Amino acid sequence: MKFADRIQRLGTETAFAVSSEAAAWAAQGHKIYPFHLGDMNIPTPANVMEAAVKAMKDGKTGYCPNAGVPKLREILAADVGASRGVRYSMENVAVQPGGKPTIGKFFLSLLNPGDEVLYPSPGYPIYESQIEFLGGVPKPYRYLEGERTFTIDLEMLKRQITPRTRILVLNDLQNPTGAECSAAEREALAELVLKHDLYVLCDEAYFDIRYEGHSISFVSMPGIADRCIILYTFSKKFAMTGWRLGAAIGPKPIIDVIAKLNVNDESCSNHFIQYAAIEGLTGDPSGPQEILRVLKERRDLAVEMLNGIQGIRCLRPNATFYLYPNITGAMQRRGFSDYESFRRSLLQATGVSVCARIHFGRPLPGETDFYIRLAYSGIDASEIRAGLAEFKAFVEG
Ligand code: PLP
């Protein structure tokens, strides 16, 4: 087979390779503690499931409009607008089969070959993959580990800007660090965006996965909503990862292009699931509240246990369901100098399966500390306790 040149540039989510490795290890009869994949083992709220079944029985099984069921678009516009302090109408919403499709469709709409894109590294690996696939030039910016949170290295980000820079990808409430922008970061970024005339992809996949306080969207900054597409997803808030439903939300001209891409790709998102989403947004809110309660309990347990391991330092993010501990000391202690041998040895000795910094974009020059990512969305508290006890014994010997 001779594939198109662009296929050489297509990346992937290497976390899925970690998953396959863990599954193969489990198939040999070994116990696994699945901290690697950001999937969820918490059920979708019952009212949401019932609404999907009802919609199916009511005959919502044919195609629906390409940009989504009008009622869902209206409700999303009102809901997302109210929580972000922006006025949206249904014309600002194009429903998608998940949050992820918004990434590729946003770049397809705005990126010409040679255009430069600022994106986080470590970060969700699909940004880097799609930028390169579509002929863009990846310009990573990093996060720095602080006392209480990770912060954006704004100096590095500024140094990456050139006259060819066209897009900023911002994943506030970030995967994998759990970082949340400070007001000062939002202000500095908004100034850069306006000064350099950038478009923004605001990946808000974890906007509602927070444990205290309220999320503040970058679109609420003056002048930003007009140049920003929000990636919205039902995956996390409603524990609907496998249902595949999300939306692109932003200025009508870009939404029109994205809706045209919908016509060319999937025609429309799953019809009856959109009625389940309406129920999720307008019905009994106790389901998402319970999801957050369960996640918070897991976070507190995991952070405490990780910080009890010699050579590991773990911040306590207020958002997302990921932890990104610094394991430099633990690796030194055990004599490891590379991620893969540490990760594999940990898996084989204890069954604890994790992702590492290398699964979140290419490492940047000058990185000296080592980090892993643990997701606690797909593992119960009792298993967290048992798995991290094994982890401690592995490191401390
Ligand atoms: N963006 C980020 C930062 C993510 O972590 C994820 C999933 O893990 C997504 C987008 C896409 O999620 P989905 O396609 O399930 O909505």
Side-chain angles (χ1 to χ4, degrees):
M1 283 275 169
K2 179 143 176 37
F3 292 107
D5 294 346
R6 73 178 82 87
I7 295 300
Q8 301 283 342
R9 303 193 302 268
L10 187 63
T12 184
E13 257 185 82
T14 43
F16 284 108
V18 174
S19 222
S20 312
E21 220 178 295
W25 189 244
Q28 291 174 34
H30 301 284
K31 168 85 186 152
I32 290 290
Y33 298 98
F35 288 101
H36 52 269
L37 201 62
D39 205 350
M40 301 178 79
N41 69 343
I42 304 172
T44 305
N47 60 325
V48 174
M49 292 206 252
E50 281 153 20
V53 172
K54 178 174 182 313
M56 224 183 303
K57 287 185 177 160
D58 287 349
K60 309 294 187 194
T61 49
Y63 296 119
C64 67
N66 313 109
V69 168
K71 189 170 172 202
L72 175 60
R73 293 173 70 200
E74 273 169 20
I75 290 169
L76 262 177
D79 187 280
V80 170
S83 54
R84 273 80 169 170
V86 177
R87 278 178 79 88
Y88 289 124
S89 72
M90 68 173 261
E91 299 196 314
N92 299 113
V93 179
V95 173
Q96 302 297 319
K100 193 186 261 183
T102 293
I103 300 172
K105 288 176 186 174
F106 172 84
F107 289 141
L108 269 169
S109 306
L110 292 167
L111 191 72
N112 281 312
D115 286 348
E116 297 175 0
V117 183
L118 301 161
Y119 70 103
S121 179
Y124 192 51
I126 297 307
Y127 312 136
E128 198 170 79
S129 166
Q130 286 290 316
I131 294 163
E132 293 186 335
F133 180 58
L134 296 170
V137 180
K139 291 282 183 166
Y141 62 88
R142 71 182 157 211
Y143 277 82
L144 303 172
E145 185 183 352
E147 283 295 308
R148 300 192 54 201
T149 179
F150 285 87
T151 56
I152 293 174
D153 185 345
L154 283 168
E155 288 313 310
M156 176 188 192
L157 188 146
K158 279 183 206 159
R159 281 199 305 275
Q160 294 282 48
I161 298 176
T162 78
R164 291 299 312 257
T165 309
R166 193 156 155 79
I167 288 172
L168 166 70
V169 177
L170 180 64
N171 175 210
D172 196 10
L173 295 88
Q174 206 241 3
N175 176 9
T177 62
E180 187 175 2
C181 280
S182 64
E185 279 176 322
R186 271 193 298 273
E187 268 166 39
L189 289 172
E191 202 181 306
L192 290 172
V193 164
L194 297 175
K195 180 171 167 198
H196 297 282
D197 194 18
L198 308 180
Y199 292 110
V200 187
L201 173 64
C202 255
D203 183 339
E204 297 190 345
Y206 299 94
F207 192 80
D208 297 298
I209 304 294
R210 66 174 301 122
Y211 306 112
E212 271 146 43
H214 295 283
S215 299
I216 298 174
S217 173
F218 189 55
V219 295
S220 66
M221 301 301 291
I224 296 298
D226 294 342
R227 46 181 70 238
C228 181
I229 288 284
I230 294 175
L231 178 159
Y232 180 93
T233 181
F234 289 88
S235 289
K236 325 284 174 178
K237 179 175 181 183
F238 298 99
M240 288 172 69
T241 51
W243 292 59
R244 311 309 303 138
L245 198 69
I249 301 174
K252 181 177 181 313
I254 311 181
I255 291 302
D256 288 347
V257 172
I258 289 180
K260 201 166 170 185
L261 290 167
N262 287 3
V263 180
N264 280 268
D265 283 359
E266 67 278 351
S267 295
C268 62
S269 294
N270 181 302
H271 190 170
F272 52 84
I273 287 175
Q274 296 187 46
Y275 287 87
I278 292 172
E279 170 61 23
L281 290 170
T282 58
D284 176 7
S286 62
Q289 286 162 1
E290 174 61 10
I291 292 168
L292 281 181
R293 190 196 62 75
V294 170
L295 289 173
K296 186 175 185 211
E297 194 178 284
R298 293 180 186 179
R299 177 202 62 175
D300 290 343
L301 174 64
V303 169
E304 194 191 319
M305 291 195 72
L306 283 165
N307 281 322
I309 302 176
Q310 287 184 32
I312 295 188
R313 186 171 64 229
C314 184
L315 297 176
R316 191 167 172 275
N318 185 29
T320 76
F321 40 59
Y322 304 113
L323 301 174
Y324 197 61
N326 185 327
I327 59 156
T328 313
M331 283 188 49
Q332 273 163 2
R333 218 184 141 85
R334 290 297 314 257
F336 290 103
S337 56
D338 77 282
Y339 279 118
E340 279 305 73
S341 53
F342 177 82
R343 189 185 63 73
R344 282 213 179 96
S345 300
L346 180 67
L347 173 69
Q348 293 178 6
T350 66
V352 171
S353 180
V354 298
C355 289
R357 191 273 172 257
I358 49 172
H359 301 110
F360 300 94
R362 277 188 295 272
L364 307 176
E367 287 185 20
T368 48
D369 281 4
F370 289 88
Y371 295 87
I372 53 173
R373 190 201 73 174
L374 290 89
Y376 52 86
S377 49
I379 176 164
D380 293 339
S382 59
E383 294 287 279
I384 291 176
R385 197 182 299 281
L388 295 185
E390 294 273 349
F391 194 167
K392 182 175 169 72
F394 174 79
V395 172
E396 296 181 2

